[in-house]
């Protein structure tokens, strides 16, 4: 079944509310949702997934796994049931796999295809078609896959898997959980032991979930970093999974409640895996008032409800070693910085240039147009904050097919003198379909 992403632009005008208050529950974690579908599709038997993120990116993964033989259905109880085909059992898809806007779907599925007797063509939207895939092509080619890509290692590209594929030891040249996961997923159907060496730790959902599904996997600290070793020709056992709420979605409300005076918001069910929680650390360094309520474990991940109240923020130097654990949160951190006293300097975040958009340039342009002073660096941004006053607003922002630019500039508009217009808010549906509905609830409006 072909996945059809949003097609026509949907402009949106955002006005500042008086304050934000109430409780909301953020949707399921995007990274864990993708992996839940992929690993369930490779288990033998039926898995159940509760709390799956039903955004366009994850639906693209579901469609691709169906196209390669898995049976995937959502029940009226909102529980997703997946009948897997077993490791080694993926079928040849009849058509190109449409990845829409989703880099995670593309890179992880390229890994799966690389060690199966499958040839799959990956296509995507204009944003995804501009993103570098060389970082996964290199290790997967070493494992034996034959990959032909568009110039610059870009989509559309075709992966012809090799069976049996060849185990490798691979040291990640970029801190990327997607590259790590692509190699580990290829390793599932590769005889022998595949090792990934990770000099800088990145989100570890793949490791946790592969172990949970019964793969033989070890993680050790070596002289060059974390060494993840996976024994191939794995047999995965079906699981019952509860997906925790997405900290990258909660991030918008953490910043919104911090910067809009009088706000008091409880964000329920937020995943706080330490490889994802860097924004909480950074905001607390800035003076944010974030309390963790009812800490618990959901689906093997630490989770809490976060109560966030308005607070006076101060500019900081963002520790570069936080970058991997908050890589998707920089755009909204820049918004927090716009309302802080003094400058916030974020360096060591060059990966932002190859996300759904060039997020350093996109946020610099969007903030400047709305009255915020910034300085662009090759690897980050300095934002000069105004000490908590309203920013000017009044401009139209190009969201560039990037959900996080759209949502971050929506949060900026919540404390602006004049409304901010997004040229296209439709990308929000890739990761957070209920975002504007929840904003209306917290603003005290009916949606
Ligand atoms: C993700 C990893 C990160 C992140 C993306 C999701 C994942 O990308 O930005 O939103 O689920 O593995 P990189 O691996 O490119 O850093």
């Amino acid at each position: 079944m072909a996945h059809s992403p949003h097609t026509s632009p949907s402009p949106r005008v955002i006005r500042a509310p008086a304050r934000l208050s109430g409780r909301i529950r953020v949707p399921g974690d995007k990274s864990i949702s993708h992996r839940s579908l992929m690993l369930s599709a490779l288990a033998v038997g039926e898995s159940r997934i509760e709390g799956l993120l039903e955004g366009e990116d994850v639906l693209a993964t579901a469609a691709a796994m169906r196209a390669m033989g898995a049976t995937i259905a959502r029940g009226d109880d909102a529980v997703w049931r997946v009948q897997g085909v077993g490791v080694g059992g993926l079928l040849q898809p009849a058509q190109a796999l449409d990845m829409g806007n989703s880099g995670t779907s593309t890179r992880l599925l390229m890994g799966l295809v690389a060690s199966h007797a499958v040839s799959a063509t990956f296509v995507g939207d204009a944003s995804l078609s501009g993103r570098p895939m060389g970082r996964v092509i290199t290790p997967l080619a070493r494992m034996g896959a034959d990959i032909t890509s568009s110039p610059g290692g870009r989509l559309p590209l075709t992966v012809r898997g090799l069976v049996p594929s060849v185990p490798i030891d691979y040291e990640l040249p970029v801190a990327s959980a997607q590259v790590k996961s692509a190699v580990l997923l290829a390793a599932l159907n590769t005889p022998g032991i595949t090792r990934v060496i990770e000099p800088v730790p990145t989100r570890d959902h793949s490791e946790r979930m592969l172990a949970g599904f019964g793969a033989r996997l070890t993680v050790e600290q070596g002289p060059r970093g974390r060494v993840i070793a996976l024994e191939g020709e794995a047999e995965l056992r079906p699981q019952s999974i509860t997906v925790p709420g997405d900290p990258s979605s909660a991030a918008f409300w953490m910043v919104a409640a911090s910067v809009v005076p009088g706000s008091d918001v409880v964000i329920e069910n937020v995943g706080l895996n330490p490889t994802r929680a860097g924004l909480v650390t950074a905001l607390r360094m800035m003076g944010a008032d974030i309390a963790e309520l009812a800490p618990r474990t959901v689906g093997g991940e630490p989770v809490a409800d976060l109560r966030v109240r308005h607070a006076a923020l101060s500019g900081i130097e963002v520790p570069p070693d936080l970058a991997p654990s908050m890589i998707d949160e920089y755009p909204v951190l820049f918004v927090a910085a716009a309302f802080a006293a003094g400058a916030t300097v974020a360096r060591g975040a060059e990966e932002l240039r190859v996300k759904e958009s060039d997020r350093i340039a996109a946020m610099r342009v969007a903030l400047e147009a709305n009255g915020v002073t910034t300085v662009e660096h090759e690897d980050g941004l300095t934002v000069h904050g105004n000490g908590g006053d309203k920013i000017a607003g009044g401009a139209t922002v190009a969201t560039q097919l990037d959900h996080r630019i759209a949502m971050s500039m929506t949060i900026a508009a919540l404390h602006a003198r004049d409304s901010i217009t997004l040229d296209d808010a439709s990308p929000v549906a890739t990761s957070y379909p209920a975002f504007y509905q929840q904003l209306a609830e917290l603003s005290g409006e009916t949606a």
Side-chain angles (χ1 to χ4, degrees), residues 9-250:
S10 163
R12 190 158 193 127
V13 180
I14 322 289
R15 292 187 180 79
R19 58 197 279 269
L20 299 173
S21 66
R23 303 176 75 89
I24 43 119
R25 199 176 171 81
V26 289
D29 188 279
K30 183 151 75 72
S31 294
I32 296 175
S33 294
H34 285 297
R35 290 157 172 82
S36 297
L37 289 169
M38 291 178 196
L39 295 181
S40 297
L42 287 178
V44 179
E46 182 178 284
S47 292
R48 328 169 58 250
I49 311 170
E50 265 180 70
L52 188 84
L53 169 64
E54 296 175 358
E56 288 173 357
D57 281 10
V58 174
L59 298 181
T61 289
M65 297 318 298
R66 282 191 192 106
M68 292 192 283
T71 303
I72 303 179
R74 179 192 195 272
D76 293 337
D77 52 0
V79 175
W80 288 69
R81 290 182 176 74
V82 180
Q83 319 280 340
V85 295
V87 170
L90 291 181
L91 303 178
Q92 174 63 40
Q95 294 165 3
L97 302 176
D98 187 348
M99 303 283 94
N101 187 252
S102 180
T104 309
S105 308
T106 309
R107 296 194 177 117
L108 272 57
L109 290 172
M110 284 173 68
L112 280 185
V113 169
S115 61
H116 278 78
V118 162
S119 164
T121 297
F122 294 81
V123 299
D125 72 5
S127 157
L128 185 60
S129 302
R131 298 181 65 187
M133 297 299 152
R135 53 181 62 194
V136 281
I137 294 173
T138 300
L140 297 177
R142 273 185 51 199
M143 297 178 82
D146 175 14
I147 304 176
T148 47
S149 71
S150 300
R154 295 192 156 63
L155 263 52
L157 61 75
T158 299
V159 180
R160 289 176 197 82
L162 178 71
V163 181
S165 42
V166 184
I168 59 170
D169 284 4
Y170 192 66
E171 182 171 328
L172 294 180
V174 276
S176 167
Q178 292 180 356
V179 178
K180 167 174 68 178
S181 302
V183 176
L184 293 175
L185 291 176
L188 279 174
N189 197 39
T190 301
I193 306 225
T194 298
R195 286 183 196 82
V196 179
I197 299 120
E198 193 179 47
V200 180
T202 64
R203 65 190 68 194
D204 62 359
H205 307 301
S206 293
E207 297 91 301
R208 289 176 185 237
M209 295 181 71
L210 281 163
F213 271 84
R216 280 194 290 269
L217 169 137
T218 58
V219 182
E220 280 163 17
Q221 197 58 40
R224 303 189 58 84
R226 284 173 86 237
V227 181
I228 306 133
L230 188 134
E231 190 177 328
E233 303 188 301
E235 275 179 39
L236 302 187
R237 293 186 295 268
Q239 299 295 307
S240 189
I241 299 167
T242 304
V243 180
D246 198 325
S248 300
S249 296

Side-chain angles (χ1 to χ4, degrees), residues 246-334:
D246 198 325
S248 300
S249 296
F252 301 107
W253 311 123
M254 289 182 217
V255 172
S258 296
V259 304
V260 178
S263 295
D264 185 352
V265 169
V266 175
I267 315 163
E268 296 176 351
N269 188 38
V270 183
L272 290 175
N273 179 318
T275 64
R276 298 288 300 284
L279 181 72
V280 177
T281 306
L283 287 176
R284 283 183 174 147
M285 287 173 69
M286 297 173 81
D289 178 356
I290 305 174
E292 288 170 38
L293 313 178
R296 55 204 185 266
T297 302
V298 175
E301 300 268 347
V303 162
D305 301 331
L306 299 182
R307 180 176 182 190
V308 187
R309 283 176 276 191
H310 171 256
L313 302 181
S314 308
I316 59 166
E317 228 169 89
V318 183
D321 63 358
L322 283 182
S325 64
M326 55 177 287
I327 195 65
D328 291 336
E329 283 65 77
Y330 279 92
V332 79
L333 174 85
F334 298 149

